[in-house]
Amino acid sequence: IHYFQKNIDSETIEKRSKNQLWVNSGIFLLAFLYWFITLLISEGFAYDPDTLIVSKEPFKYLHNIIDMPVVGIILAAGVVLVLFSIIRSLSGNFRNAIAFSGTGTILTVFALFLIAGFNNTSYYPSVSDLQSSLTIQNSSSSRYTLTAMSYVSILVPFVFAYIFYAWRSINKKKIDSAEMEGDSHAY
């Protein structure tokens, strides 16, 4: 919806998108709040880094947020950015909401990834055999593979730069009704 608001020049679509944003945001916020509270109070799967024994730990994910305050700050920043984009978009003509909601989404998902895998947490627990759960320590590849992956990961900023450049080029001009009616490739 934020993409439509930023890149389509149509009063009708803007009004409809704002109305739909109320519905989507309400449903999303209720579902996210329920899921997040459930995550914080649920049992997690911890492991001892010396013995690699996996065990259930009450409030493991809450403990991870407390034990890793930087991750908690990243999570809070992500959630605040998403909420800011929704509130500003609903309260007025805020065309750049997608930048805030996109950044907030990336930060939130990254923080949840860290909560699920760091601080001696099994990121892929096995329900049938707890000791077969995957952790970062027991699922990492060989030194050779990790070295090769490290070199490849250096390319990630270039990929992000290309994506940013491509989307910026695509969105230089807003889509309007004249373009849709005059283009034989309109969808």
Side-chain angles (χ1 to χ4, degrees), residues 82-112:
V82 170
L83 290 175
F84 172 77
S85 70
I86 291 170
I87 292 167
R88 281 293 309 271
S89 185
L90 288 172
S91 65
N93 190 9
F94 185 58
R95 295 274 184 194
N96 206 22
I98 191 168
F100 291 94
S101 63
T103 303
T105 300
I106 290 169
L107 290 175
T108 303
V109 170
F110 181 63
L112 292 173

Side-chain angles (χ1 to χ4, degrees), residues 36-111:
F36 190 67
I37 290 171
T38 302
L39 177 74
L40 293 179
I41 63 174
S42 68
E43 280 187 327
F45 298 88
Y47 72 93
D48 183 335
D50 298 326
T51 64
L52 295 180
I53 293 176
V54 179
S55 60
K56 290 185 177 182
E57 179 183 321
F59 306 106
K60 174 62 176 162
Y61 304 108
L62 176 60
H63 294 159
N64 285 355
I65 293 172
I66 293 168
D67 293 344
M68 301 182 295
V70 173
V71 174
I73 291 168
I74 292 170
L75 177 65
V79 170
V80 166
L81 284 172
V82 170
L83 290 175
F84 172 77
S85 70
I86 291 170
I87 292 167
R88 281 293 309 271
S89 185
L90 288 172
S91 65
N93 190 9
F94 185 58
R95 295 274 184 194
N96 206 22
I98 191 168
F100 291 94
S101 63
T103 303
T105 300
I106 290 169
L107 290 175
T108 303
V109 170
F110 181 63

Side-chain angles (χ1 to χ4, degrees), residues 15-172:
K15 184 177 178 184
R16 287 181 183 171
S17 67
K18 189 175 273 194
N19 290 338
Q20 192 61 45
L21 185 60
W22 278 104
V23 175
N24 290 6
S25 298
I27 293 169
F28 168 75
L29 291 173
L30 288 174
F32 180 78
L33 189 61
Y34 172 78
W35 176 83
F36 190 67
I37 290 171
T38 302
L39 177 74
L40 293 179
I41 63 174
S42 68
E43 280 187 327
F45 298 88
Y47 72 93
D48 183 335
D50 298 326
T51 64
L52 295 180
I53 293 176
V54 179
S55 60
K56 290 185 177 182
E57 179 183 321
F59 306 106
K60 174 62 176 162
Y61 304 108
L62 176 60
H63 294 159
N64 285 355
I65 293 172
I66 293 168
D67 293 344
M68 301 182 295
V70 173
V71 174
I73 291 168
I74 292 170
L75 177 65
V79 170
V80 166
L81 284 172
V82 170
L83 290 175
F84 172 77
S85 70
I86 291 170
I87 292 167
R88 281 293 309 271
S89 185
L90 288 172
S91 65
N93 190 9
F94 185 58
R95 295 274 184 194
N96 206 22
I98 191 168
F100 291 94
S101 63
T103 303
T105 300
I106 290 169
L107 290 175
T108 303
V109 170
F110 181 63
L112 292 173
F113 173 74
L114 296 176
I115 291 167
F118 279 17
N119 198 30
N120 302 326
T121 306
S122 172
Y123 68 86
Y124 195 62
S126 173
V127 291
S128 62
D129 178 20
L130 213 51
Q131 301 316 311
S132 296
S133 299
L134 293 179
T135 66
I136 290 177
Q137 192 169 355
N138 72 6
S139 64
S140 294
S141 298
S142 69
R143 184 172 185 82
Y144 172 77
T145 305
L146 291 174
T147 302
M149 289 170 59
S150 296
Y151 288 128
V152 170
S153 68
I154 292 171
L155 298 175
V156 170
F158 297 104
V159 172
F160 283 147
Y162 173 74
I163 292 169
F164 178 79
Y165 171 77
W167 274 100
R168 191 164 198 169
S169 297
I170 290 170
N171 296 323
K172 272 186 178 176

